[in-house]
Amino acid sequence: MLRAGMVGRAEEICAFFTREGQPAVENLNEMQCMWFLTESAGAYFRKKDWARTLQKCHEVEKHFIDIVEDQFDFHPYSMKKMTLRAYLGLLRLEDSIRGHEFYNKAADIAIKTYLNLHDKPSTAVNGIGNGEIDELTEKEKKKLESKKKRAAKKKQQQKQESGGAVNNANNAGNKDKKQQPDGDIVPPPIVGEELVKTDAPLEEALKFLNPLRTLRRASP
């Protein structure tokens, strides 16, 4: 169904097998069901729904980050119990974990999406829809470029005037994080609409590409 573009219907079917009283998508994400996330990302990519595409790709990336962070307690345990063989296996796994098929799929889709946003910036960024910028005349393109420069200059001036804008933003970000009873900080949810507003899509694409360059499992 996902490959046929029937995302809503696929979610309805999955709801029969997930926790009752919780949206199926949330439950599947909690269980790190990455096959569903990658297939959903592919379906949204084919629909050119960049926001939801990036949201699914970043959720997959977060799961891989969580898998590595979940092993932190094992490092001192291995030194204490001298389980060196298992510890070396863990280190090798962490070095190659982003060579996994699910990360490769998510990274491939995310990189293509960010390249699309770079080539044809979305409405959320500059007020012009994907593909519409190609239909503008040279004069209209120059006006658009001038408008973007003025907006960037105004934004820079606002930063200088506010002085402590960066600290305020950090404090606001901390307020968005919820604290669990055991003291762990829960990061704010990944929002696709915010991801497509990036001013540097190529830099965001590199964040998915670089792990493949440095950590990917060597090909046989």
Side-chain angles (χ1 to χ4, degrees):
M1 288 184 176
L2 290 171
R3 293 183 181 181
M6 302 167 64
V7 181
R9 181 58 179 158
E11 292 175 358
E12 291 176 5
I13 297 297
C14 286
F16 291 115
F17 306 95
T18 55
R19 187 182 303 160
E20 189 176 355
Q22 183 180 19
V25 177
E26 284 185 19
N27 191 232
L28 290 169
N29 194 23
E30 280 183 12
M31 294 189 295
Q32 297 183 340
C33 187
M34 287 188 272
W35 71 263
F36 185 85
L37 293 174
T38 53
E39 291 294 341
S40 296
Y44 287 129
F45 179 81
R46 290 187 290 274
K47 292 174 178 286
K48 297 185 178 181
D49 187 340
W50 309 135
R52 292 183 179 179
T53 300
L54 291 178
Q55 180 172 329
K56 298 302 178 185
C57 292
H58 278 269
E59 285 173 352
V60 172
E61 180 196 31
K62 185 179 181 301
H63 289 326
F64 278 92
I65 293 172
D66 289 344
I67 290 170
V68 173
E69 290 181 349
D70 287 344
Q71 311 309 315
F72 284 164
D73 290 339
F74 191 65
H75 295 285
Y77 173 84
S78 297
M79 294 295 100
K80 182 179 179 181
K81 297 295 184 180
M82 296 301 291
T83 55
L84 294 182
R85 179 178 294 180
Y87 185 56
L88 288 174
L90 171 66
L91 295 179
R92 293 191 182 104
L93 170 66
E94 290 185 349
D95 284 344
S96 61
I97 194 169
R98 284 179 173 81
H100 195 280
E101 177 185 2
F102 288 139
Y103 184 85
N104 276 257
K105 284 184 177 180
D108 179 58
I109 295 170
I111 291 168
K112 289 178 180 177
T113 303
Y114 279 121
L115 290 177
N116 271 300
L117 291 176
H118 173 74
D119 295 337
K120 300 175 182 178
S122 68
T123 306
V125 177
N126 60 21
I128 301 295
N130 285 324
E132 292 180 22
I133 195 170
D134 296 332
E135 300 174 2
L136 298 179
T137 63
E138 287 300 321
K139 185 177 180 180
E140 289 172 329
K141 287 181 180 179
K142 287 180 180 179
K143 287 177 67 177
L144 177 61
E145 190 66 27
S146 177
K147 182 179 179 181
K148 288 169 66 176
K149 287 180 179 179
R150 289 197 302 271
K153 187 177 180 180
K154 184 178 180 181
K155 187 176 180 181
Q156 185 65 26
Q157 288 176 345
Q158 289 175 343
K159 282 185 178 180
Q160 292 174 353
E161 291 171 359
S162 61
V166 175
N167 292 331
N168 292 336
N170 290 336
N171 292 334
N174 291 332
K175 289 179 181 179
D176 290 338
K177 295 181 179 180
K178 298 179 181 178
Q179 191 165 9
Q180 292 180 333
D182 57 4
D184 292 338
I185 299 296
V186 180
I190 298 170
V191 182
E193 286 75 12
E194 295 298 322
L195 294 172
V196 296
K197 293 179 181 179
T198 177
D199 295 325
L202 293 182
E203 293 180 11
E204 295 298 327
L206 282 174
K207 292 178 182 178
F208 280 90
L209 179 61
N210 286 333
L212 296 179
R213 289 175 170 174
T214 58
L215 301 174
R216 186 175 181 181
R217 183 185 295 108
S219 301

